[in-house]
Structure formats: structure tokens, C-alpha cells
Amino acid sequence: FMNEVNLDLVNITGDVPLLEPARQYYFMAKCREIISKKSEELNRPLYCRIRTFGCQMNARDSEKLTGILESIGYIESDTEIPDFILYNTCTVRENANLKVYGHLGNLKKLKNKNPEMIISLCGCMMQEETVVEKIKTSYRFVDLIFGTHNIFKLAELLYEKFTTGKSVIEILKDTTKIVEELPIDRKYPFKSGVNIMFGCDNFCSYCIVPYVRGRERSRKADDIINEIQNLVDDGV
């Protein structure tokens, strides 16, 4: 676990912090409380599964999403029926979109068996308005939809789902935010991707990246160097 956060130190009785990443630590701690209670009621752990489509950027995002889910108490498993399932989607080719729709059909059957299961979609495909509209009308059993600009808010959006019981959809058109110091669960012990910047300002006629990943924004040099140093210390 990179950037492991001690949620026991987070005050969840006071006001919600406005600044990041403290705001997300608050919601992670609140979600952990809810998941712990659900786990006690069911007398078993709660399981999650993340399916990643697309590029290395998506793979890296999924490591962050897994880190958040594990820190709030989910256990990642490919064998158990998931209580939370997340598809991190890609939209570079139409085939990628069709694949996701195909999987959603299968998930409906799983959800019928386990109505408490939370189904979530995020990533590049969700940045397309037509896709979100289609999901809202044809796949109403999807509980949580967010895009590429607010993956750091997973715990906050999940808390809203837990407390309202309603579907949560939050797609941002663009962002200037880069939130550091969130938990990351690396897939491989020996290699890792390091983001230098996000988005792109070159609107090439054949490329969807600037539309789904937003305008170019760079991380601070110190944050990049610190992350590389931590990876080296960890044996990468």
C-alpha cells in the first residue's frame, strides 16, 4: 500500500473539511464505519471487484480506486460475488463501449441475486453525454457513475449512495485539481506508472483524449520526485 492513511486519526464528528485530501479522508473514515457495520450484520467481509478497460492511465487510476476501496474495508476478490463492482471504462474505440454494455447485461443477473450489490461505472466512456443518458434509461440498476476528473472522490460519492440510497451521478466537464496523497494499491511490486501530467491541449482530429481527459495539467515537481523516491524505497 502506497500512501496508507490512518483513518483512526480522522475526526468524523466535526464539520466536513473543505480542502483535499482531508475531505476524502473524512469520507473514507465515514464509509469505513458503514462497511464495518454491514460486515458485522452479514458475518463476513464485503468484497469488491474492479475491471479495467483501456490504457496505462486507466490502470493507474484503478490502483488509486482499489487503494480507496481497500482502505474503507472492502476486500478485492475475483472469486467471491462482489458487494461492490466497478468498471473503469475506455472509449477510444466503439468496441470498448460495446464490451461494457455487454458486461452490464450480465451484471443485471448478479444484481437480481444480490440486490444490495453496488454497481459503479467510471472512466473515459462516462465523459460522453450520450453514454450517460443511455445508462440512465437502459441500465437503471447502475448505482454510481463518475468520470475521469473526480476519481479521487470515490469515497465521497459512495457515502452519498450509502446515506441516500439513490443513484449518484457526477460528471465534471473539466478540472484544474490534482489531489495527491490518496491511498494506492499497486498491482505489481516491481513496476509502477508515475503520472507527470494529465490531459492534453492538442485537439487532434482523430483523438478523443482532450475531450475525456481534459486540458493539460501538470503535477508539482516535488510530488513527482517524492513518489519516485517512495517507489524506489519500496523496491520498484
Side-chain angles (χ1 to χ4, degrees):
F1 241 149
M2 294 272 298
N3 310 339
E4 196 161 1
V5 179
N6 187 350
L7 296 179
D8 294 327
L9 302 177
V10 177
N11 175 14
I12 54 173
T13 55
D15 293 337
V16 181
L18 296 176
L19 297 178
E20 304 292 4
R23 183 179 177 86
Q24 295 315 310
Y25 298 161
Y26 173 90
F27 284 111
M28 282 155 61
K30 294 288 266 187
C31 283
R32 189 179 67 162
E33 199 176 46
I34 292 167
I35 285 164
S36 175
K37 275 184 192 157
K38 282 180 187 282
S39 182
E40 275 175 35
E41 285 164 20
L42 296 167
N43 199 27
R44 64 164 178 82
L46 264 64
Y47 298 102
C48 69
R49 190 181 301 165
I50 292 187
R51 180 84 194 266
T52 308
F53 300 85
C55 68
Q56 284 177 311
M57 184 75 88
N58 264 17
R60 184 63 174 157
D61 284 348
S62 287
E63 290 182 341
K64 295 172 188 175
L65 293 161
T66 306
I68 293 169
L69 289 172
E70 290 182 341
S71 70
I72 64 178
Y74 282 107
I75 292 173
E76 193 179 19
S77 172
D78 286 330
T79 52
E80 302 289 341
I81 292 176
D83 299 281
F84 180 94
I85 190 156
L86 173 62
Y87 283 175
N88 188 0
T89 62
C90 170
T91 193
V92 167
R93 297 178 187 87
E94 188 187 12
N95 194 32
N97 288 21
L98 295 175
K99 231 185 221 177
V100 170
Y101 292 133
H103 284 298
L104 282 176
N106 295 330
L107 284 185
K108 190 174 186 185
K109 295 170 199 161
L110 258 185
K111 179 122 176 170
N112 289 339
K113 286 183 194 166
N114 180 12
E116 290 282 295
M117 181 169 97
I118 293 174
I119 296 172
S120 181
L121 297 172
C122 71
C124 295
M125 192 173 154
M126 299 306 115
Q127 291 296 141
E128 295 187 80
E129 282 177 34
T130 51
V131 168
V132 176
E133 283 309 310
K134 181 171 178 171
I135 290 163
K136 275 160 51 175
T137 53
S138 304
Y139 303 93
R140 292 184 178 179
F141 54 88
V142 174
D143 300 287
L144 188 56
I145 299 173
F146 56 105
T148 56
H149 302 311
N150 52 350
I151 66 153
F152 67 90
K153 282 181 76 174
L154 174 57
E156 184 172 344
L157 299 172
L158 193 52
Y159 182 73
E160 189 181 333
K161 168 66 192 164
F162 282 146
T163 51
T164 65
K166 295 175 182 169
S167 293
V168 177
I169 299 172
E170 186 182 282
I171 310 292
L172 307 180
K173 286 264 188 264
D174 208 343
T175 186
T176 54
K177 257 186 192 172
I178 294 175
V179 179
E180 303 280 355
E181 293 172 51
L182 290 174
I184 296 172
D185 184 6
R186 293 204 329 273
K187 190 173 181 184
Y188 302 101
F190 57 88
K191 69 174 182 176
S192 179
V194 176
N195 295 114
I196 307 299
M197 45 80 77
F198 303 89
C200 184
D201 286 347
N202 300 318
F203 286 78
C204 301
S205 59
Y206 57 83
C207 183
I208 199 168
V209 167
Y211 298 98
V212 295
R213 285 279 173 186
R215 291 287 189 151
E216 199 173 289
R217 57 199 196 282
S218 295
R219 294 175 70 196
K220 290 180 181 145
D222 287 350
D223 290 331
I224 298 164
I225 299 293
N226 286 341
E227 183 177 350
I228 292 168
Q229 188 60 61
N230 287 336
L231 288 166
V232 172
D233 293 345
D234 204 33
V236 172

